[in-house]
């Protein structure tokens, strides 16, 4: 007989004894009720179908173990795919940012007018802003044309100057001719002086920073559509400005290591054409590498 069966038999005997005692006194009757309630709750909390401690444990299901292993492998593969996607995204963003550094810099200069760079493509081309201010003084815009010594072109403006009103759109032309017997690709830079006028000098259409391919002996006209924003009248720094100079410089184009077109000239010459000659600019990475290679190593004491 098991321990559980013996315990049940003893509880049954005590219940019979207590039932006989209920006819004699009331305390025995209350004790009977307490014992009956305790036995009932004990039987309810311990189901009859619970296995005995000595019963053997069932062996694990091979199919369940195989499915668990497959689930773990799938979760690990999903984590690896997510890590690969995040890493690839970071690499792509870094490479794209390095390739877009030069165009973004030009966009920044064109949007802010930094260092004499005329504003291009900003939100100043709304129709109500392109209305000449009739009572304002006219500003004389002078046109200048330069070229690199390595570029066998003839580059000249078709007009020396144009007098414009703030808010008035004007059209000017430059002429470029290839004097060599070979096809040449050129690229132009520009700047405006004085510098304080550059934020208000906006160009709707121009040929700067774009590939200009001229065949041998070819001559082309290059249009320029621009206007001076009427906000210049509210700037105290531009109150006495009567003359503005717009300068273009053409260089022979070359492709850098990233495949982008850039002027084939010394960095100082290019920076001067952009109006940065009076600024201290950090040299390019390739220039720093050459200078560091030429500099002698420091001696150890």
């Amino acid at each position: 007989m098991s321990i559980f069966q013996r315990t049940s038999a003893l509880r049954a005997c005590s219940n019979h004894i207590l039932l006989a005692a209920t006819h004699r006194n009331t305390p025995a009757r209350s004790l009977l009720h307490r014992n009956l309630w305790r036995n009932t709750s004990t039987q309810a909390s311990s189901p009859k179908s619970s296995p005995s401690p000595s019963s053997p444990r069932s062996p694990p299901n091979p199919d369940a173990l195989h499915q668990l292993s497959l689930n773990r492998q799938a979760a690990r593969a999903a984590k690896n795919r997510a890590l690969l996607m995040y890493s690839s995204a970071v690499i792509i963003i870094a490479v794209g940012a390095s390739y877009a550094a030069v165009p973004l810099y030009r966009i920044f200069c064109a949007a802010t007018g930094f260092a004499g760079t005329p504003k291009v493509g900003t939100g100043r081309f709304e129709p109500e802003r392109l209305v000449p201010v009739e009572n304002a003084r006219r500003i004389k815009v002078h046109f200048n044309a330069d070229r690199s010594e390595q570029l066998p072109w003839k580059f000249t403006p078709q007009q020396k100057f144009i007098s414009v009103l703030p808010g008035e759109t004007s059209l000017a032309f430059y002429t470029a001719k290839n004097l060599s017997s070979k096809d040449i690709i050129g690229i132009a830079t520009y700047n405006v002086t004085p510098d304080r006028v550059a934020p208000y000098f906006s160009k709707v259409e121009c040929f700067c920073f774009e590939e200009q391919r001229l065949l041998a002996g070819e001559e082309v006209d290059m249009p320029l559509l621009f206007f001076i924003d009427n906000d210049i009248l509210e700037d105290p720094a531009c109150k006495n400005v009567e003359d503005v100079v717009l300068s273009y410089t053409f260089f022979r184009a070359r492709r850098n290591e990233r495949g982008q077109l850039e002027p084939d000239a010394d960095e100082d010459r290019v920076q001067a054409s952009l109006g940065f000659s009076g600024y201290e600019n950090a040299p390019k990475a390739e220039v720093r590498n050459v200078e560091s290679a030429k500099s002698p190593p420091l001696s150890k004491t």
Side-chain angles (χ1 to χ4, degrees):
M1 182 180 295
S2 63
I3 297 175
F4 180 78
Q5 292 176 351
R6 293 177 181 177
T7 304
S8 300
L10 292 175
R11 289 176 179 174
C13 293
S14 62
N15 291 338
H16 286 293
I17 295 171
L18 292 172
L19 284 175
T22 53
H23 299 281
R24 299 179 181 179
N25 50 23
T26 304
R29 185 181 300 176
S30 61
L31 179 62
L32 173 63
H33 288 294
R34 286 198 300 270
N35 290 336
L36 288 176
W37 176 82
R38 186 180 304 170
N39 294 337
T40 305
S41 60
T42 303
Q43 293 177 3
S45 61
S46 57
K48 297 180 180 180
S49 61
S50 60
S52 61
S54 61
S55 61
R57 183 177 296 179
S58 59
N61 190 355
D63 295 336
L65 293 177
H66 180 66
Q67 185 63 32
L68 180 60
S69 177
L70 293 179
N71 293 339
R72 291 179 178 177
Q73 293 179 3
R76 190 179 298 108
K79 292 181 179 179
N80 293 337
R81 285 195 301 269
L83 179 60
L84 178 62
M85 291 178 62
Y86 287 134
S87 303
S88 303
V90 171
I91 294 174
I92 292 173
I93 292 174
V95 173
S98 63
Y99 274 93
V102 175
L104 290 177
Y105 173 75
R106 292 172 180 170
I107 292 173
F108 167 76
C109 293
T112 60
F114 181 69
T117 304
K119 288 193 174 183
V120 179
T122 59
R124 298 174 176 246
F125 302 101
E126 300 176 359
E128 58 272 12
R129 299 186 65 87
L130 301 179
V131 178
V133 181
E134 298 296 339
N135 298 329
R137 69 182 185 281
R138 288 186 173 269
I139 300 175
K140 186 180 293 186
V141 180
H142 301 263
F143 300 94
N144 182 53
D146 295 319
R147 65 175 181 82
S148 173
E149 296 178 356
Q150 290 79 13
L151 184 66
W153 285 10
K154 181 181 179 182
F155 180 54
T156 56
Q158 295 187 9
Q159 62 286 312
K160 293 183 178 181
F161 63 87
I162 295 178
S163 296
V164 298
L165 291 171
E168 178 184 5
T169 57
S170 300
L171 181 64
F173 288 91
Y174 281 79
T175 300
K177 183 177 181 179
N178 186 359
L179 302 179
S180 68
S181 58
K182 298 180 180 179
D183 301 345
I184 299 178
I185 298 177
I187 188 171
T189 61
Y190 62 90
N191 73 301
V192 171
T193 54
D195 294 348
R196 58 183 181 274
V197 181
Y200 308 105
F201 196 100
S202 302
K203 295 193 295 182
V204 181
E205 184 65 32
C206 68
F207 51 87
C208 48
F209 294 118
E210 293 181 357
E211 176 182 333
Q212 304 295 334
R213 184 184 186 90
L214 295 185
L215 303 179
E218 183 182 6
E219 183 177 359
V220 295
D221 294 333
M222 299 179 178
L224 166 66
L225 184 62
F226 70 95
F227 70 96
I228 298 178
D229 196 275
N230 51 26
D231 288 344
I232 193 173
L233 300 175
E234 301 176 2
D235 190 348
C238 302
K239 183 177 181 180
N240 298 324
V241 173
E242 297 180 356
D243 296 275
V244 176
V245 179
L246 176 62
S247 299
Y248 280 91
T249 304
F250 253 109
F251 297 91
R252 182 189 289 269
R254 67 182 177 188
R255 294 196 179 273
N256 54 22
E257 298 177 354
R258 301 172 183 174
Q260 300 172 345
L261 284 176
E262 64 179 11
D264 187 6
D266 296 335
E267 186 65 17
D268 295 338
R269 182 74 174 90
V270 176
Q271 294 298 330
S273 68
L274 292 170
F276 293 102
S277 57
Y279 297 84
E280 295 183 0
N281 299 304
K284 288 185 176 180
E286 54 268 21
V287 177
R288 293 196 299 269
N289 294 336
V290 172
E291 292 179 353
S292 61
K294 292 181 179 179
S295 61
L298 299 175
S299 60
K300 296 182 179 180
T301 56

